[in-house]
Amino acid sequence: MRVAIVEDESVVARRLARMVRDIVGADTAIEHAPSLPQAVDLIQARAIDLLFLDLNLNGRDGFDLLEQAAAARFETVIVSAHHDQALRAFEYGVADFVPKPWSEERLRMAIDRARGREPRTRTSRLIVRKGRQTQAIDVEQLLFVQGADDYSELHLADGSTHLHEKTLASLEAQLPAAFARVHRSFIANLSRARAVRSGGGRTLLVFDGGTVVPIGRIYRAEVRERLGM
Amino acid sequence: MLLAWLLVTSLSATAMPPQEPVRMHAGHDPAWASPAFDDSSWPLLSLWEVPYTNDSVWLRRTIELGPRDNPVHPVGVFFGAMASHELWWDGELIGRGGVVGRTKAEEVPGPIESHYQVPDRLAAPGRHTIAVRASAFHRGFSPANGYWTLMTGDYDRIATIGTRYAYQALVAWSAILLTAVFAFAMFWIARRDRSFLLLGALCLSAAALLVAEAWRPLFGYTYDWHIVRLRAVVALSWLTSVLLVALMAARFPHRRGPFLVGAAAVVAAVIPFIPRSWDPKSLYLFMFCFGLATAWTAWAAFRRMHGGALALIGVGGATAVLFASPWRWADQTLFFALDFLFVCLLCSHALEVRRERAEKARLELEVVKRHMQPHFLMNTLTALSEWIEEEPRTAVRMIESLADELRILSGMTARTLVTAEDELRLCRSHLATMSLRRDVRYELEVEGVDQRRLVPPAMFHTLIENAITHGAGSGPSVRMRLAAREEGDRTRYIFEAPASGDGDEGEERGGGTRYIQARLREAWGERWSFRQGLEGLGTQGTIWRTEIVVPSV
């Protein structure tokens, strides 16, 4: 596992690194960015699996940085002295928000959430990258998400599609309860589904506008039950 | 309310009626007192035209007494002049002021104003002759005319002609004196604010002016003192109106303020030499200075300075009264206008005091809050947890330095100024805490700072905090420098620290900067300067430089 720590307080960063090694394993590769420019480079390189981000670097608001991180494929855990920023941070789909000071147990929980081993706070928005810019998408506008090799395609009610760097499994962990896996490669927004149609050995989920996605054999019973059919 | 009422009644008081002409002749003959004497060959003059002669003069006037409104009320004669006099009614002497003489040696100066009761037996309805014998050798320097007034009427009214205004003015006088006492007390006890000293001086000068104005009706004097009193009135008018301008300049400071006050004082000193008669001398200089003071407060109110609007109401109101009825100003409306002005100024000072008290509480809270705010507290506690688990001895040192810092801080936040020695102790303990928290060696090089000088609490401390939060500070050690230079009665402090230099610095340091400026203002009003910015490349890269100049105390 490759871990990055963005933190301008060196003793705090040292504590974080020490505990991450204790929890994840001594062979964990840990990079440290003590300043904003270094943090930007680190996030743009994307050669990590998990980011620990302090939202207050050199007295600056770190939400621009968080937006970049939220659009990336790795998971982000916020470590901050400002617990009042937690609600806002969760809107970016972060795996967890750890207030300072923390205990080892609290950090272990955060890492488990980032790895998908523990349930986490669901997000109401997804951040996607558009060139160097980022764009926030309200999850209610989503019809379904289709998984590709190591990225996902977001299909919106207005017919537009957006690429997201996170895997289908990672998005499944952060999308709200209205979303369900309906196929090995599809997560559907059941609150926008209208009907289940069968024919020719295939079962399809039909959305409000007529768009359809396939329902995998093992998911059929659960989907029908959740839709009350 | 009382003030408003007094103002209205004094405004509505009737002016004296125009005076009938008199027949005049210089020289002396006892027969000229008689009603039987035919004076038709004597020139007929207005009282204002009575010339200054080198002998005694006789003035004669024939009047018609109608039936009396109230038969119980006696008839009275009012005589006011810069002259000694004998007053004859139908050939009978009914009063004298001083001793009239035909040479300066013979004459003894009489009172400036007199009033006499006419015996009832002489006051039957019909024609009567008033004859006045007068001499005026003691006028000192000779005015154009001698202020002559001769009136008859209801004795009770005649007798109170001047005192009515004087008693109204006395009501204002006590209020003005009380304001003076209050202003001086505020200056000595509470604030040492120059504007209180000026307000007190203004009140004293106005009170003295009022005494000079009211002296004639209240106490009277022999006529040879008249010019002396008039000169005192002009001088006190000058002092009062210039002090008003100076007070506004002190209250609402401007770079050019002292120059403007000086210029106003000179112009106001020249104005009395322009008109020949006495009343306009004071009046024009009042108009000039009050107009200027109104313009000044209007500027202050426009710039939204604290208390500017109230001062404008006070000064503008007084000026409006002055221009609305200029000829009632000196002996009637001036003092009520001043009372109104002082009430407005005191209210504005009270508001200012309240604002400053709130500001002081805010500043005190701000320092404490900075140490309770999450960024400082939570990062410190996190670093402390790490030291506790890894190096307990270091943790104890960190707790010690933190406790030290908080102790010094709590001892100084409530004060306006602290010694540089205490302030530097606070800085060192903060640097010790921060060095352990961030595992960076923060050092402060101090040069030329006099430990006994006074500075606002947590001023350097805030600069250091800003420098650590926003500075580069990534190396194993960070050096900051604080130097002081004495420049006459001022001290210049220069603080330099390495900066990250990636733009937008000033805006981000805003919170700390505003705190320092508010503290400086609290301690020294506007007598300080604060400048900061990035300085080219030093040996450590970009340098953040702050220069603060304060009075040396």
Side-chain angles (χ1 to χ4, degrees), chain B residues 64-133:
Chain B
E64 192 79 36
L65 272 190
R68 276 182 256 166
D69 297 343
N70 184 343
V72 181
H73 283 202
V75 173
V77 178
F78 175 90
F79 181 78
M82 290 183 62
S84 308
H85 65 273
E86 291 164 5
L87 208 132
W88 302 77
W89 179 278
D90 291 343
E92 225 174 279
L93 183 67
I94 60 168
R96 68 161 82 235
V99 176
V100 181
R102 303 194 66 175
T103 61
K104 190 167 183 175
E106 275 177 42
E107 190 199 322
V108 176
I112 187 78
E113 280 179 0
S114 315
H115 42 78
Y116 303 109
Q117 189 177 329
V118 181
D120 268 355
R121 63 188 162 80
L122 297 176
R127 289 174 68 82
H128 298 277
T129 302
I130 304 171
V132 178
R133 185 188 171 215

Side-chain angles (χ1 to χ4, degrees), chain B residues 330-351:
Chain B
D331 52 359
Q332 295 176 47
T333 54
L334 164 62
F335 303 103
F336 298 105
L338 282 182
D339 273 355
F340 175 66
L341 165 62
F342 293 152
V343 166
C344 289
L345 289 183
L346 287 180
C347 287
S348 123
H349 271 298
L351 286 178

Side-chain angles (χ1 to χ4, degrees), chain A residues 183-205:
Chain A
H183 186 275
R184 192 166 45 87
S185 307
F186 289 95
I187 297 170
N189 183 353
L190 296 184
S191 65
R192 282 186 173 270
R194 199 176 60 193
V196 176
R197 195 195 303 153
S198 300
R202 293 176 66 196
T203 306
L204 299 173
L205 184 66

Side-chain angles (χ1 to χ4, degrees), chain B residues 312-390:
Chain B
L312 177 59
I313 291 171
V315 178
T319 309
V321 169
L322 165 61
F323 279 88
S325 57
W327 300 110
R328 290 179 187 161
W329 176 255
D331 52 359
Q332 295 176 47
T333 54
L334 164 62
F335 303 103
F336 298 105
L338 282 182
D339 273 355
F340 175 66
L341 165 62
F342 293 152
V343 166
C344 289
L345 289 183
L346 287 180
C347 287
S348 123
H349 271 298
L351 286 178
E352 178 81 346
V353 167
R354 193 178 71 172
R355 198 186 62 78
E356 278 176 13
R357 201 173 292 158
E359 171 76 355
K360 189 164 180 55
R362 190 186 66 74
L363 290 176
E364 211 179 314
L365 191 64
E366 194 172 314
V367 194
V368 178
K369 239 169 68 185
R370 270 215 301 272
H371 286 77
M372 286 301 292
Q373 58 119 324
H375 189 74
F376 178 82
L377 197 59
M378 298 309 169
N379 278 311
T380 304
L381 290 177
T382 309
L384 199 51
S385 328
E386 179 63 8
W387 289 125
I388 288 170
E389 287 179 14
E390 296 297 299

Side-chain angles (χ1 to χ4, degrees), chain A residues 10-23:
Chain A
S10 57
V11 177
V12 175
R14 197 192 303 160
R15 174 172 179 77
L16 198 52
R18 181 174 66 80
M19 286 192 177
V20 168
R21 280 208 182 83
D22 287 350
I23 296 165

